[in-house]
Amino acid sequence: MTTPQRVDADLGWALGRVTRAHLHTAQEVVSGLPGGPRGYQVLAAANDGEVSTQLAIARMLGVDRTVMTYLLDELEGAGLVERRPDPADRRARRIVLTAAGRERLCELDRRLREAEERLLAPLEPAERDTLRELLRRLATGTGHDGASACRVAEEISAADGC
Amino acid sequence: MTTPQRVDADLGWALGRVTRAHLHTAQEVVSGLPGGPRGYQVLAAANDGEVSTQLAIARMLGVDRTVMTYLLDELEGAGLVERRPDPADRRARRIVLTAAGRERLCELDRRLREAEERLLAPLEPAERDTLRELLRRLATGTGHDGASACRVAEEISAADGC
DNA sequence: ACAAGATAGTCTGTAAAGCAGAACATCTAG
DNA sequence: CTAGATGTTCTGCTTTACAGACTATCTTGT
C-alpha cells in the first residue's frame, strides 16, 4: 500500500486548474470572436498553412469533425475565413483566412500574449519559457532529442498518424 | 501588426492538448470509479484533510457546488466516502473516506502515477519533475520565493479567498 | 436577544455542447 | 470497375452543468 498523495501533487489537478484559468482568461480576451478561444485556435491553425483542411485542423485542435463544421460556419459568417475547394482533393475544403481574419488574428495574438504573461506571473521569466517549451514538446510529442515520441498525440486520437 | 504566431507556439493549445491527453489516460485508469477522474480528485482532496467540506473541495477542484452534490451522491453510493455533519458548523458536511475509499485511492494513486509517467515519456526524468513543479506552483499560485501570487486561483474563482 | 444578511447544501428546470450514426461525394486500391 | 476508405454535413439524442430558488444555519450589528 503506497502513501496516499496530496491533491496538489496530482498532475491532473494542476493541469486542470491551470488550463481552466487559461481558458477563463482567453474567454475574456477573445470575447466577441465566434467560437471563443477555440475560434482563435482555428484561425491560428488555418493561418500557418501546414494543415488547412477541416479535418486536419480538427485533429490538431482535438475537436470532433462535426463540431468543426459549425465552428467554421460561424467564423465564415463573421467573414474571418473562407472555405475553398482543395484543388488536389475535391472532397476536402481548404480553410483560408480573409484579410479581416488575419488582422483579427494578429490583434488577438498580441492580447493573448499579454494575458498569458499575467497568468504566468508567479513564475520567473526563465521558468515561463521552460514551461512553454516543455508543454509544447509534450503536445507535439517531441522528445528532448527531437525524436517524435508521440505519447500525447496517441492519447488524443488513436486514429492520428504518428 | 505583430508577427502571427504558429499554433504550436500557443500556450492554450499545448495546455489543452496535454490536459485532454491526461484526462483520456486517467479515464481509462479510473474506469468504474463514479465520477471518473474528478471522482478521484474528490477522494484525494477529501483525504488530505486540509479541506474537507463540500464547498471547499468544490472550489479546490474548480467545479460548481451543485455538481459536487451528485458527484458525492455517487461516491457515497459506492461506499467510498461518508458525509458527516461538521461539528463546528451544522450547515456543512465533512467528507471523509471510508476504509474502502482509502484503499481505492491508494490503488488509483499508484496506477495514475504509472500512467502519467507514460504520458510524460517524451521528457527526460528531470524535465518531468520540473514540469510537475512549475504546474503545481502555478495552480497553487505560489511564486518562486514561496510568495502567494495567486493568479490562477483568481482566474478560477473571483470569490476565492487568496 | 433579534433582525438582516451571508453561507452550506440541495433541488429543479433549462440550455448548450458534442457525439453517434447516417447520408453523400469523392478518392484509392485491387 | 468494384469495394472500401475518407472528407464533410446533417439529424437526433444524451450528457452535462449552470442559473436560480429553497431550507437550514451561521454571523454581525444593534
Side-chain angles (χ1 to χ4, degrees):
Chain A
M1 178 142 159
T2 39
T3 314
Q5 301 291 332
R6 294 180 44 85
V7 214
D8 63 3
D10 180 34
L11 182 62
W13 175 79
L15 266 176
R17 255 179 99 95
V18 174
T19 302
R20 218 172 309 119
H22 184 279
L23 216 57
H24 189 264
T25 309
Q27 206 102 40
E28 291 174 0
V29 171
V30 307
S31 75
L33 186 76
R38 277 194 322 194
Y40 162 80
Q41 292 186 344
V42 171
L43 292 185
N47 189 55
D48 62 81
E50 295 274 332
V51 288
S52 48
T53 71
Q54 292 192 201
L55 198 59
I57 296 176
R59 280 212 259 255
M60 160 151 289
L61 303 188
V63 304
D64 191 83
R65 61 202 198 298
T66 64
V67 172
M68 206 63 203
T69 300
Y70 57 78
L71 254 184
L72 284 172
D73 283 350
E74 293 170 24
L75 288 171
E76 198 171 27
L80 300 174
V81 302
E82 275 177 18
R83 280 189 249 231
R84 295 206 190 138
D86 184 335
D89 182 346
R90 279 185 301 176
R91 293 169 303 179
R93 311 296 167 92
R94 293 201 103 77
I95 307 304
V96 304
L97 271 64
T98 63
R102 272 191 302 276
E103 206 171 317
R104 186 70 158 272
L105 177 61
C106 286
E107 163 79 5
L108 293 177
D109 259 339
R110 199 175 42 69
R111 298 206 297 170
L112 264 179
R113 243 349 136 102
E114 286 173 17
E116 284 178 3
E117 287 304 305
R118 281 198 301 277
L119 195 77
L120 299 183
L123 305 183
E124 293 180 78
E127 291 175 324
R128 295 177 211 170
D129 291 342
T130 304
L131 180 68
R132 281 183 193 275
E133 177 62 13
L134 291 177
L135 284 173
R136 196 192 59 77
R137 272 174 40 201
L138 264 188
T140 56
T142 312
H144 63 96
D145 52 358
S148 175
C150 205
R151 267 284 149 222
V152 169
E154 271 174 33
E155 293 299 341
I156 287 172
S157 158
D160 261 33
C162 185
Chain B
M1 176 142 157
T2 40
T3 314
Q5 301 290 332
R6 293 181 45 86
V7 214
D8 64 3
D10 180 33
L11 183 61
W13 174 79
L15 266 176
R17 254 179 101 95
V18 174
T19 303
R20 219 171 309 121
H22 185 279
L23 216 59
H24 189 264
T25 309
Q27 206 102 41
E28 291 175 359
V29 170
V30 307
S31 77
L33 185 76
R38 276 193 322 194
Y40 161 81
Q41 292 185 344
V42 170
L43 292 183
N47 189 56
D48 62 82
E50 296 273 333
V51 287
S52 48
T53 69
Q54 293 191 198
L55 199 59
I57 295 176
R59 281 212 259 254
M60 161 151 288
L61 303 188
V63 304
D64 192 82
R65 63 196 197 293
T66 64
V67 172
M68 205 64 202
T69 300
Y70 56 79
L71 254 184
L72 284 172
D73 284 349
E74 293 170 22
L75 288 171
E76 198 170 26
L80 300 174
V81 304
E82 275 177 17
R83 280 188 248 233
R84 295 205 191 139
D86 184 335
D89 183 345
R90 279 185 301 176
R91 292 169 304 178
R93 311 295 167 91
R94 294 202 102 77
I95 306 305
V96 303
L97 271 65
T98 63
R102 273 190 302 275
E103 206 171 316
R104 186 71 158 272
L105 177 61
C106 287
E107 163 79 4
L108 292 178
D109 259 339
R110 197 175 43 70
R111 298 207 295 170
L112 264 179
R113 239 356 133 103
E114 286 173 16
E116 285 178 2
E117 287 304 306
R118 280 198 301 279
L119 195 76
L120 299 184
L123 305 184
E124 292 180 78
E127 291 175 326
R128 297 177 207 170
D129 291 341
T130 303
L131 180 67
R132 281 183 192 277
E133 177 62 13
L134 291 177
L135 283 174
R136 195 193 60 76
R137 273 175 38 203
L138 264 187
T140 56
T142 311
H144 63 96
D145 52 357
S148 177
C150 207
R151 267 282 150 222
V152 170
E154 271 173 33
E155 292 300 339
I156 288 172
S157 158
D160 262 33
C162 184

